[in-house]
């Protein structure tokens, strides 16, 4: 990890991360979802830039797929890759969050099982950002670097087990399991467990900004720059800018 860069405000995260996703190949609407999810990575007390980079790279390089299929068998919903590639968390996160919102309205236990995903933490953050009304939601996956990882959301708190910097910045594609309104048991007790209140983290981020790894933040800027239009007469003819080449007023 490199030195921390200048803290980024929540508005700046919204601006740069939205356009970084567009630069990586996502539609603008999904870019906005990605930026909101990235804010929630910060509200979980983690580095949003470090979490974003693997997902941006996977999408831009074509290693992560954008085709998803949902199948239901009794109480388990499978989120499967539609093209044989690992799932892009930028695409899968909003789909999973929307599905859980629907399932939560029934108030019953439900389980989702995702095929291997490029950045499992973004799935957990997307679920957290959705404001789902449930007694408990547990998002879990297995990492070679950290063992079993669990993000548990319950009554305004988030309990994180097994997450470390390596599992965030260099995740291996992993299957993700989500339990809605179910009992515990996804992970054995761990000394690497901490509980935070995302509302408190949000207040701190709004006041002081979000500190990120400098190299990861620069990579986000690089993807952001890919969606910029060069300031030339040709680009303005094509529709960029105010739509006027000269001002004769």
């Amino acid at each position: 990890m490199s030195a921390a860069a200048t803290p980024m405000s929540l508005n700046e995260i919204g601006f740069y991360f939205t356009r970084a996703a567009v630069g990586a190949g996502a539609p603008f609407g999904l870019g906005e979802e990605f930026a909101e999810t990235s804010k929630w990575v910060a509200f979980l007390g983690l580095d949003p830039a470090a979490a974003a980079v693997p997902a941006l790279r996977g999408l831009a390089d074509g290693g992560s797929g954008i085709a998803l299929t949902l199948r239901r068998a009794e109480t388990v919903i499978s989120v499967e890759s539609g093209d044989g590639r690992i799932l892009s968390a930028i695409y899968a996160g909003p789909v999973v969050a929307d599905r859980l919102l629907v399932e939560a309205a029934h108030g019953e236990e439900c389980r989702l099982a995702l095929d291997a995903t490029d950045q499992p933490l973004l799935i957990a953050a997307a679920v957290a950002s959705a404001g789902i009304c449930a007694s408990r939601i547990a998002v879990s996956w297995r990492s070679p670097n950290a063992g079993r990882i669990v993000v548990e959301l319950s009554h305004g708190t988030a309990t994180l087990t097994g997450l470390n910097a390596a599992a965030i910045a260099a995740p291996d594609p992993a299957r993700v399991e989500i339990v809605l309104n179910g009992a515990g048991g996804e992970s054995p007790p761990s000394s690497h467990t901490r509980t935070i209140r995302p509302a408190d983290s949000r207040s701190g981020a709004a006041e002081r900004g979000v500190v990120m790894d400098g190299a990861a933040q620069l990579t986000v800027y690089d993807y952001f720059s890919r969606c910029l239009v060069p300031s030339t007469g040709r680009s303005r003819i094509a529709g960029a800018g105010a739509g006027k080449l000269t001002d004769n007023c």
Side-chain angles (χ1 to χ4, degrees), residues 227-243:
C227 74
L228 299 179
V229 177
S231 180
T232 64
R234 183 175 182 180
S235 71
R236 288 190 286 274
I237 290 172

Side-chain angles (χ1 to χ4, degrees), residues 75-147:
T75 61
V76 178
I77 299 172
S78 298
V79 183
E80 303 170 354
S81 170
D83 56 13
R85 291 179 287 175
I86 61 175
L87 295 174
S88 166
I90 295 175
Y91 277 74
V95 171
V96 168
D98 286 348
R99 186 65 198 187
L100 286 173
L101 278 168
V102 172
E103 296 298 326
H106 301 295
E108 300 175 354
E109 179 177 338
C110 176
R111 294 175 180 265
L112 273 70
L114 282 70
D115 280 353
T117 305
D118 56 16
Q119 179 51 287
L121 176 58
L122 290 182
I123 303 297
V127 171
S129 73
I132 299 166
C133 183
S135 60
R136 177 180 179 272
I137 306 174
V139 184
S140 62
W141 64 97
R142 185 169 293 282
S143 165
N145 296 319

Side-chain angles (χ1 to χ4, degrees), residues 130-196:
I132 299 166
C133 183
S135 60
R136 177 180 179 272
I137 306 174
V139 184
S140 62
W141 64 97
R142 185 169 293 282
S143 165
N145 296 319
R148 194 69 171 174
I149 297 173
V150 182
V151 177
E152 181 177 331
L153 309 168
S154 179
H155 304 295
T157 65
T159 302
L160 285 62
T161 299
L163 272 170
N164 58 32
I168 296 169
D172 289 288
R175 294 178 60 87
V176 179
E177 299 176 359
I178 305 174
V179 179
L180 173 74
N181 290 327
E186 289 81 9
S187 177
S190 170
S191 58
H192 302 292
T193 296
R194 61 192 180 95
T195 299
I196 65 172

